[in-house]
Amino acid sequence: WAPGGRSDVVIADMKGMKTIIPVVFIFFVIWDGKPAGAFQVGSKHPLVVKSGARVMCLHRTWTCSLGDAVERQKMLVNKKLKYERSKIAKLGEPSIVQTSLLDLGHNERVNNKGDGDGRKGNRNSNGLGEKQEIRSKLERFKSACKSSTISTQDLLSSFRGFLRASSDICSSDCDESWRVALEALQLLKDADRAGVVAYNMMLHFAALTAGRGCQPAFEHAINLMTRMVEENIEPDLISFNSMMNVCAKSASMMSQEEAFANAYSVLDMMRDARIAPNTITFTSMMEMCARSTGARGGRGGWSRGWQKGMEILVLMREHDLNPSILTYIQMVKICLTSAKMKRAGNWSESAVRNGCKVLELVREDGLELNEDFYNHFFSLCAKAAEAGYEAAVVVAEDLFRDRNVSLTWSTTTWNSLLNVYAKSGRLAAARGLVRGEMLRQRVTPDLVTWNTLMCAMAKEAQAGRSSGMQGGLEILEDMRRAGVKPDVLTYNALMRACTAPVLSRSSDSVFDQGSIVLDMMRADGLSPDVVTYTTILDACIKSSSTQEEDGLSQALNVVEAMQAVGLNPNIITCNCLLTACSKAAEHRGLAMVDMGVELMQAMELRGIAPNLVSYNSLIAACSKAVASCVPGERPADCIAKGLQLIQMMRRKGLKPNVISYTSLVAAGANGVKVGDLSLLKHGSVILELMEKDGVQADSVTFNSIIDMYCMAAAAGLDGDWVRLSWRVIELMKRSNVEPDGVSCAIFMDVIFKSLTCMQGDGRGRRLRRKIQNIFRSIDEDGDGEISVDELRSAFLRRAPFQEKQAVSSPTKAPSSRSSWALPRSEVSEKDLVRFFRWADMDANGRIDYQEFEKMLVGSANPRSFGILPQSGTPEALKEARQYISIGIGVLQDMFSSDVQLNVVTCNALLDSIALAAELAPVEGGDAFRLCLLDANRVLELMRSHGVVPNCRSFSALLKICTTSAGSADGEKALKRSYRVMQEMRRAGVEPDTVAYNIFLEGFARAPCTAGGGIVEAIKVLNEMIAANVRPDSVTFLAIIKAAKQEGTSEAVSLAASLFAKIPADCQNIKTYSVMMRAMIQVGRREEVLDLLEQAATSGMRPDTHMMAIATQAASSSSRLKARLRAFRTWFRREKKDERELQV
């Protein structure tokens, strides 16, 4: 049977057959109409659990290329065919190895820790000496094989020792190590001593080489297994467990899919050999999950590793196997690997939660926790705490309280718990554990204990919570009293504590404190190492914060001091120097990038190969150099330099990663910030380069592109930045990159900046300047009027207009030159004349500038003319609400995707809605209802997803009501303002000064018939004072405006009496100016000049606007004019004296 007629796989139905027919291979290919380049491979492996009637199937799928899948399956089929042909029915030799090779390898590593350093010291320093030493041992083993007096067991012990020695040269020459091992095996075979035990030792040797980085280790094991069965040696359980151990140790050098394919192939072989897997087999598979998670876990690999681990756990129970404590330890290792990924957002939290699930499974199975489990679990909590998950400390404390009291902990386990406190920066808890519980349990702190405590001190100092020097010296004294001598690691931790940039004010003070620690080390007879100086170097760089002090000079001084004592910098030291160059590029430009390139060349001369971090530091320097504003350097030059560094990476055999390209995108954003419009298309260009290079963009990359559009909107540049940013978010989803909270926050900022730009452009000079440029380009004869012939010529020649092009890419920025012309085929002579007559309002046959401006800003779609709709028009409100609608949709999608959003992001959208209300026409009553409806939708989304509105949220609602207080809906708006204040208090949010000021602004805008006026405003002021909220200058300004809006003598008199009681720190030029306007309004002109003189004698300098108000007040009386002239003479004399005093 062939699925779909496309497969040649034959499936033999074995049901009912009495003769056991060996199954060679079963391979299903599921074709679903996909192209041949990629397909889904699925397999079903019958696993007999109790009887032949009960069959359990394990399903697994993965994606791979067609060629790789076929080649791998061909190889496995050939190996298994050889195995089946050579398999004979005979009893296996009695094995002298009674333990699993997995446990044997662990015991060997533990037992050989002491003599490992001795072997390293006795070996020659170069690879040639090591090979000669192995060859000499091979000759001795050859002589032993020829001797007939040596027993088989002793010879096998010698063979095991030789393999252990051969594994030592694996890191330098893997192929040579494997060749000499095969020669030794051949010597055993020639002596007729090579049985299953010898081959098991060879398989174990393959696992050792895999653990030391030998990539073809699994291929060697497959060839060894083939050779084994060809020589009629039947593999046993230990053989297959060793094969599985090779899969586990090789998993860190391959993808998860390939690692699991190899592991399941071993299970297939065991099934064909009718050998049931045991707990050790699946424990090795679990170790493979942990190793492959760390190798390829960047984009969800850790979650796949956890999922595969749970599948293996289910498979064990289907085989009636109970997991051991070692199995669960490997599951904790999977969680530990994911917790190490600090850039993984909330992965650390998920890792700890999964670790707690493992702990529950252990307790359900009734297993006793051993020290190894405690150590790994505490290490998991420590890594999560270091990544910022504070609840990990609570989890570790709960495990400590529920520990098995009958199990005596060693110092190592106590140090693991202490490390949790150290990584979280809880110095007090760490000291309490050392001085309290450890002493009660009669556990003597060792050197590791004190070093861990010193690391906690360093973490505390770096967080700015304590003095590193004082606390570090106290720990040193405690160490000496306990009889423990500090080592280099102790002083390195003390160096981090003393040179914490949070407490040091400059790089000079960091260098001085580092010198003190160096003197203390030398006094204790210790020599500083590279890590010591690198710590000082890193602290000098981080402590610099000004343009004059960028830390580079001090960093170079540290390197000189380091070389003076005979220490050579390593790659970490050099990368710190490159980071210093990157930081200095923010002020000094591309010269620092060139210095970094020279530094990398010097690194190569010293034998230090620059790595990915080195190049990424210099690319980040190019991004920072964009904003340096060094004369003669353009932003495009900085980006070109970054692309040159990308090419240098490729020539050195390094592949740029997502950080490399994201730094280039950030460079484009910085270029837009300084006004280089040519970089608006930079984001789409970088995305194309990443796609060609096979680098997947992440959320930071896309966020940088959105940030570029945000800067363009903030600068007031032409473009529909909201829709372009929205397309970037849609592109993220299509690229399988989930937008995060930062994406949403930047997008909401784009909306706010775009509406701010619309508000300023609609009322400012920029709009008029743009319209004037368009008018002059059409007015060919320069007479100040446009004729129908000039308009026709403008349409035909397309100047200055270009035919509007659709944006093909979601990230492509619009042209910097506005375009609005229709295609030629759509503009007829009749349409042109009709358009001209519509614009010619006085029907004189010419269009002057006033008619042209009114025609543009009053059109139905002013943005199509290259300008923003004028503020206070229905078109402005319509476009603003379109932006708000997009923002609400994005906010809803984020909440639906379980993206964690804070109240600040939601408040940005509420502020945008309040700004949209200000763009609406003053007389239009529909704006209040529509904007309030949008705000309520946002608040409902916030409450339904656990985001609690704060005072800023309700202030945005008050702003909407205040803006509409002067319209036809003024009475409704004021009533709604009262309800908003009540809702705030019911929600437990007390209004602050800003909220009250916005509330009072409504009484200044609303007429008395709608509930406005100074009387109601003073009531709110009394309520504000009763709530212990201090009024400021804006508060009193709003009350005075309310009196001015009311316009009666009583209102102004009430405002004047209030003005006399205003505190001095709440009086400014603006409050005086508004009060003077109100006085003029009711005819109290004499008091206007009194206020002018009062402001001047109070230390204020009246501005032009204030003097104009006084001039208006004195215009009706010659006496007041003379008084004003005298004041001006006095004021000029005061300013002259002030200038002379300053000189």
Side-chain angles (χ1 to χ4, degrees):
W1 174 75
R6 299 179 182 177
S7 179
D8 298 331
V9 181
V10 178
I11 300 178
D13 186 5
M14 304 182 62
K15 184 177 180 181
M17 290 187 176
K18 296 182 179 180
T19 305
I20 299 178
I21 303 176
V23 180
V24 177
F25 194 73
I26 300 177
F27 180 49
F28 288 125
V29 179
I30 303 176
W31 295 91
D32 56 354
K34 295 184 178 180
F39 65 96
Q40 293 288 325
V41 179
S43 303
K44 295 183 178 180
H45 302 284
L47 302 173
V48 180
V49 179
K50 290 184 177 179
S51 63
R54 184 184 176 190
V55 177
M56 305 297 295
C57 296
L58 171 69
H59 301 269
R60 67 179 188 274
T61 60
W62 62 89
T63 305
C64 57
S65 66
L66 178 59
D68 293 343
V70 172
E71 291 297 325
R72 182 166 62 248
Q73 296 300 334
K74 282 183 178 179
M75 181 189 71
L76 294 178
V77 169
N78 292 333
K79 302 295 183 186
K80 295 181 72 176
L81 283 174
K82 292 179 182 178
Y83 168 74
E84 291 292 338
R85 285 195 297 265
S86 61
K87 188 165 57 176
I88 59 175
K90 67 173 184 176
L91 296 176
E93 297 179 6
S95 174
I96 63 172
V97 183
Q98 300 297 329
T99 60
S100 71
L101 290 184
L102 180 67
D103 294 336
L104 178 62
H106 173 72
N107 293 331
E108 287 178 353
R109 289 192 295 271
V110 173
N111 295 330
N112 294 325
K113 281 184 179 179
D115 61 347
D117 295 336
R119 292 199 308 271
K120 288 183 180 179
N122 295 330
R123 288 201 313 263
N124 295 325
S125 58
N126 52 28
L128 183 60
E130 292 178 347
K131 294 178 182 179
Q132 291 177 352
E133 183 180 354
I134 292 300
R135 286 293 175 181
S136 63
K137 290 184 178 181
L138 182 62
E139 291 298 327
R140 291 194 296 269
F141 182 71
K142 182 178 181 180
S143 302
C145 290
K146 293 180 179 180
S147 175
S148 60
T149 59
I150 300 178
S151 64
T152 301
Q153 187 169 356
D154 293 340
L155 191 60
L156 288 176
S157 299
S158 301
F159 181 60
R160 179 187 303 168
F162 175 77
L163 293 180
R164 186 187 305 118
S166 300
S167 65
D168 292 338
I169 67 170
C170 176
S171 56
S172 59
D173 194 343
C174 178
D175 295 334
E176 176 66 18
S177 175
W178 186 254
R179 277 194 297 269
V180 296
L182 288 179
E183 290 180 15
L185 180 64
Q186 185 63 36
L187 292 175
L188 278 177
K189 180 181 176 183
D190 295 341
D192 199 19
R193 307 281 188 95
V196 65
V197 177
Y199 277 96
N200 288 346
M201 291 180 180
M202 281 294 293
L203 290 171
H204 175 58
F205 171 73
L208 289 178
T209 58
R212 299 188 179 185
C214 182
Q215 292 188 355
F218 183 74
E219 182 181 354
H220 291 164
I222 286 287
N223 295 332
L224 189 65
M225 183 71 76
T226 304
R227 179 177 175 179
M228 184 177 179
V229 296
E230 286 177 350
E231 295 175 2
N232 297 329
I233 299 175
E234 186 173 357
D236 56 7
L237 178 60
I238 297 177
S239 308
F240 288 110
N241 283 346
S242 300
M243 279 285 294
M244 192 65 76
N245 195 19
V246 176
C247 295
K249 297 298 189 295
S250 305
S252 59
M253 297 175 287
M254 61 184 66
S255 64
Q256 280 191 346
E257 291 81 5
E258 188 176 358
F260 277 97
N262 294 337
Y264 282 117
S265 299
V266 175
L267 287 181
D268 292 341
M269 295 178 185
M270 296 182 70
R271 180 200 60 197
D272 296 340
R274 296 184 297 279
I275 295 178
N278 61 0
T279 303
I280 298 174
T281 311
F282 291 108
T283 302
S284 297
M285 290 187 68
M286 200 71 77
E287 181 185 2
M288 179 195 62
C289 292
R291 289 178 176 267
S292 62
T293 299
R296 302 294 176 96
R299 292 186 176 274
W302 74 269
S303 59
R304 292 195 300 270
W306 171 258
Q307 181 182 1
K308 291 293 184 180
M310 294 300 294
E311 291 178 2
I312 294 172
L313 199 63
V314 173
L315 187 60
M316 289 184 68
R317 301 190 187 280
E318 291 176 353
H319 281 74
D320 290 336
L321 295 175
N322 294 323
S324 65
I325 192 64
L326 292 177
T327 311
Y328 287 118
I329 289 175
Q330 296 300 329
M331 294 190 71
V332 175
K333 284 185 178 180
I334 297 176
C335 306
L336 176 60
T337 305
S338 61
K340 293 179 181 179
M341 302 173 186
K342 299 180 182 179
R343 298 187 61 190
N346 60 347
W347 289 7
S348 296
E349 179 180 354
S350 301
V352 175
R353 290 179 178 176
N354 290 337
C356 294
K357 293 179 182 177
V358 176
L359 186 60
E360 293 176 0
L361 292 174
V362 172
R363 290 169 175 169
E364 289 177 1
D365 288 349
L367 298 175
E368 292 291 337
L369 300 181
N370 57 12
E371 280 197 275
D372 201 13
F373 186 92
Y374 282 112
N375 289 336
H376 282 90
F377 198 90
F378 287 148
S379 298
L380 165 64
C381 295
K383 289 296 179 182
E386 186 180 11
Y389 183 51
E390 298 180 355
V393 182
V394 180
V395 174
E397 290 175 342
D398 292 341
L399 180 60
F400 173 70
R401 285 193 295 268
D402 298 338
R403 70 187 186 278
N404 183 9
V405 293
S406 62
L407 177 65
T408 302
W409 282 8
S410 64
T411 310
T412 304
T413 308
W414 287 100
N415 291 341
S416 298
L417 177 59
L418 183 66
N419 191 35
V420 179
Y421 294 119
K423 295 300 182 182
S424 60
R426 301 191 179 188
L427 180 61
R431 283 177 170 172
L433 183 66
V434 174
R435 299 172 179 175
E437 192 65 31
M438 291 182 68
L439 291 180
R440 284 193 292 271
Q441 298 294 330
R442 298 181 180 180
V443 178
T444 303
D446 57 3
L447 181 60
V448 178
T449 308
W450 294 110
N451 287 348
T452 306
L453 193 60
M454 189 68 78
C455 290
M457 182 70 249
K459 191 86 172 179
E460 188 90 356
Q462 289 173 349
R465 293 190 289 265
S466 62
S467 173
M469 179 64 76
Q470 181 180 357
L473 293 178
E474 291 177 0
I475 295 176
L476 279 180
E477 291 298 324
D478 293 340
M479 289 182 68
R480 292 190 174 95
R481 283 196 296 267
V484 180
K485 183 180 179 181
D487 63 352
V488 178
L489 296 178
T490 311
Y491 279 103
N492 286 345
L494 178 62
M495 183 72 73
R496 291 197 303 273
C498 297
T499 59
V502 177
L503 301 178
S504 304
R505 296 184 178 180
S506 64
S507 58
D508 292 332
S509 61
V510 168
F511 189 80
D512 294 340
Q513 294 188 23
S515 301
I516 295 175
V517 178
L518 290 177
D519 295 338
M520 295 171 60
M521 292 183 69
R522 297 187 182 99
D524 271 349
L526 298 173
S527 299
D529 58 2
V530 179
V531 178
T532 310
Y533 284 98
T534 304
T535 303
I536 305 176
L537 179 67
D538 184 60
C540 288
I541 297 170
K542 291 180 178 179
S543 62
S544 60
S545 59
T546 62
Q547 179 176 354
E548 293 78 11
E549 181 198 8
D550 49 29
L552 183 58
S553 58
Q554 285 291 356
L556 295 175
N557 293 335
V558 174
V559 174
E560 291 178 1
M562 178 179 176
Q563 293 174 336
V565 297
L567 293 175
N568 293 322
N570 58 11
I571 183 63
I572 300 177
T573 310
C574 297
N575 286 342
C576 286
L577 281 176
L578 292 175
T579 303
C581 294
S582 175
K583 193 169 185 178
E586 189 173 355
H587 306 297
R588 303 186 189 181
L590 290 178
M592 293 296 99
V593 182
D594 296 334
M595 181 183 292
V597 173
E598 295 176 0
L599 176 61
M600 287 199 301
Q601 294 173 355
M603 290 169 58
E604 293 177 346
L605 292 177
R606 288 179 173 270
I608 303 174
N611 57 11
L612 199 59
V613 178
S614 311
Y615 283 98
N616 286 344
S617 298
L618 286 186
I619 296 174
C622 296
S623 175
K624 295 177 181 178
V626 174
S628 63
C629 299
V630 175
E633 291 184 1
R634 300 176 304 167
D637 298 335
C638 301
I639 295 177
K641 193 72 174 179
L643 292 174
Q644 291 177 7
L645 291 171
I646 294 286
Q647 296 298 329
M648 290 177 59
M649 293 176 67
R650 294 195 181 99
R651 288 195 297 267
K652 297 296 183 180
L654 295 174
K655 183 180 179 181
N657 62 0
V658 64
I659 301 176
S660 313
Y661 286 107
T662 302
S663 298
L664 289 179
V665 176
N670 292 335
V672 174
K673 186 177 182 179
V674 298
D676 192 341
L677 307 184
S678 62
L679 300 178
L680 285 172
K681 302 179 182 179
H682 182 66
S684 59
V685 174
I686 297 300
L687 287 181
E688 292 175 1
L689 291 176
M690 295 178 70
E691 186 177 357
K692 291 179 181 179
D693 236 0
V695 179
Q696 173 66 41
D698 60 3
S699 59
V700 181
T701 311
F702 289 106
N703 291 344
S704 299
I705 298 177
I706 302 175
D707 189 46
M708 183 189 306
Y709 295 150
C710 183
M711 291 180 180
L717 303 179
D718 295 335
D720 198 349
W721 309 115
V722 175
R723 289 184 175 84
L724 285 172
S725 302
W726 176 68
R727 291 174 184 174
V728 173
I729 292 180
E730 293 298 317
L731 180 61
M732 292 176 69
K733 297 177 181 178
R734 292 197 298 271
S735 303
N736 295 326
V737 178
E738 289 297 329
D740 54 11
V742 179
S743 312
C744 188
I746 301 176
F747 181 75
M748 298 306 166
D749 200 24
V750 172
I751 296 177
F752 184 79
K753 294 291 176 38
S754 298
L755 295 182
T756 304
C757 178
M758 187 186 302
Q759 184 186 36
D761 191 56
R763 293 173 178 167
R765 293 172 296 178
R766 187 169 174 272
L767 169 67
R768 180 157 295 178
R769 186 169 59 250
K770 195 177 299 184
I771 297 175
Q772 288 173 353
N773 292 336
I774 299 174
F775 184 83
R776 282 194 295 266
S777 62
I778 299 177
D779 184 17
E780 297 178 353
D781 54 9
D783 60 351
E785 292 180 335
I786 299 175
S787 64
V788 66
D789 294 333
E790 290 173 334
L791 188 62
R792 183 186 298 108
S793 177
F795 271 100
L796 293 177
R797 74 173 184 269
R798 308 295 179 128
F801 314 113
Q802 308 258 341
E803 184 174 352
K804 195 168 186 179
Q805 301 290 334
V807 181
S808 57
S809 174
T811 60
K812 185 176 180 182
S815 174
S816 59
R817 193 161 194 174
S818 305
S819 58
W820 60 272
L822 297 173
R824 296 183 185 181
S825 58
E826 298 182 11
V827 181
S828 63
E829 183 70 21
K830 188 175 181 180
D831 294 332
L832 190 64
V833 173
R834 185 183 298 112
F835 175 78
F836 186 86
R837 290 177 179 174
W838 171 71
D840 185 15
M841 300 177 184
D842 55 4
N844 63 347
R846 311 281 291 184
I847 302 178
D848 57 14
Y849 176 76
Q850 286 74 20
E851 292 172 336
F852 187 76
E853 179 180 343
K854 189 171 183 180
M855 178 265 296
L856 285 183
V857 300
S859 62
N861 189 10
R863 185 177 283 278
S864 63
F865 290 91
I867 63 174
L868 297 174
Q870 186 179 19
S871 177
T873 60
E875 291 78 17
L877 177 63
K878 179 181 178 181
E879 183 164 349
R881 291 201 68 244
Q882 290 176 355
Y883 291 167
I884 299 300
S885 178
I886 295 175
I888 293 176
V890 170
L891 191 69
Q892 190 169 6
D893 291 342
M894 293 289 180
F895 279 130
S896 301
S897 302
D898 294 331
V899 177
Q900 297 296 326
L901 300 180
N902 55 22
V903 68
V904 178
T905 304
C906 301
N907 287 345
L909 184 56
L910 289 172
D911 290 339
S912 300
I913 298 174
L915 192 57
E918 295 182 5
L919 295 172
V922 179
E923 299 300 330
D926 205 29
F928 170 66
R929 181 182 61 84
L930 295 176
C931 292
L932 200 60
L933 182 64
D934 292 337
N936 288 329
R937 288 178 60 191
V938 174
L939 286 174
E940 184 63 29
L941 283 174
M942 293 172 63
R943 294 189 180 102
S944 60
H945 291 87
V947 180
V948 181
N950 59 8
C951 189
R952 180 70 178 270
S953 311
F954 291 103
S955 297
L957 278 179
L958 289 172
K959 188 69 175 177
I960 297 172
C961 301
T962 298
T963 304
S964 304
S967 65
D969 288 335
E971 186 176 359
K972 296 180 180 178
L974 282 182
K975 290 181 179 179
R976 179 59 180 164
S977 297
Y978 280 109
R979 289 201 297 271
V980 171
M981 296 292 286
Q982 293 173 0
E983 290 175 6
M984 288 181 68
R985 294 188 178 92
R986 284 198 298 267
V989 179
E990 290 298 327
D992 57 1
T993 303
V994 177
Y996 275 108
N997 291 345
I998 297 174
F999 187 32
L1000 286 170
E1001 185 68 23
F1003 298 101
R1005 295 191 180 191
C1008 293
T1009 56
I1014 188 172
V1015 176
E1016 298 297 329
I1018 290 179
K1019 290 181 181 179
V1020 175
L1021 176 63
N1022 294 331
E1023 178 185 340
M1024 183 178 179
I1025 296 173
N1028 293 325
V1029 179
R1030 188 178 186 276
D1032 58 4
S1033 60
V1034 180
T1035 309
F1036 295 106
L1037 180 63
I1039 297 176
I1040 297 171
K1041 283 183 178 181
K1044 180 177 173 293
Q1045 166 70 20
E1046 189 171 345
T1048 62
S1049 300
E1050 294 80 5
V1052 175
S1053 299
L1054 188 58
S1057 61
L1058 177 65
F1059 187 84
K1061 300 176 183 178
I1062 296 178
D1065 59 339
C1066 295
Q1067 293 179 348
N1068 53 28
I1069 294 294
K1070 194 169 253 186
T1071 54
Y1072 273 96
S1073 299
V1074 175
M1075 192 68 231
M1076 291 165 65
R1077 284 286 187 189
M1079 292 289 189
I1080 293 177
Q1081 193 172 356
V1082 296
R1084 300 166 65 170
R1085 299 177 182 271
E1086 186 82 21
E1087 298 181 40
V1088 173
L1089 296 184
D1090 292 341
L1091 290 175
L1092 178 65
E1093 294 172 356
Q1094 180 182 344
T1097 56
S1098 300
M1100 302 180 193
R1101 177 174 291 182
D1103 57 1
T1104 306
H1105 180 64
M1106 196 172 182
M1107 295 301 297
I1109 298 174
T1111 302
Q1112 181 183 357
S1115 60
S1116 60
S1117 171
S1118 57
R1119 183 177 59 84
L1120 294 180
K1121 288 180 181 179
R1123 182 180 175 184
L1124 182 60
R1125 282 195 301 268
F1127 173 80
R1128 285 176 174 169
T1129 303
W1130 172 82
F1131 187 61
R1132 283 194 296 266
R1133 187 169 60 252
E1134 289 290 326
K1135 288 197 295 184
K1136 182 179 178 180
D1137 295 342
E1138 184 179 349
R1139 285 195 298 267
E1140 291 176 354
L1141 183 62
Q1142 289 178 355
V1143 173

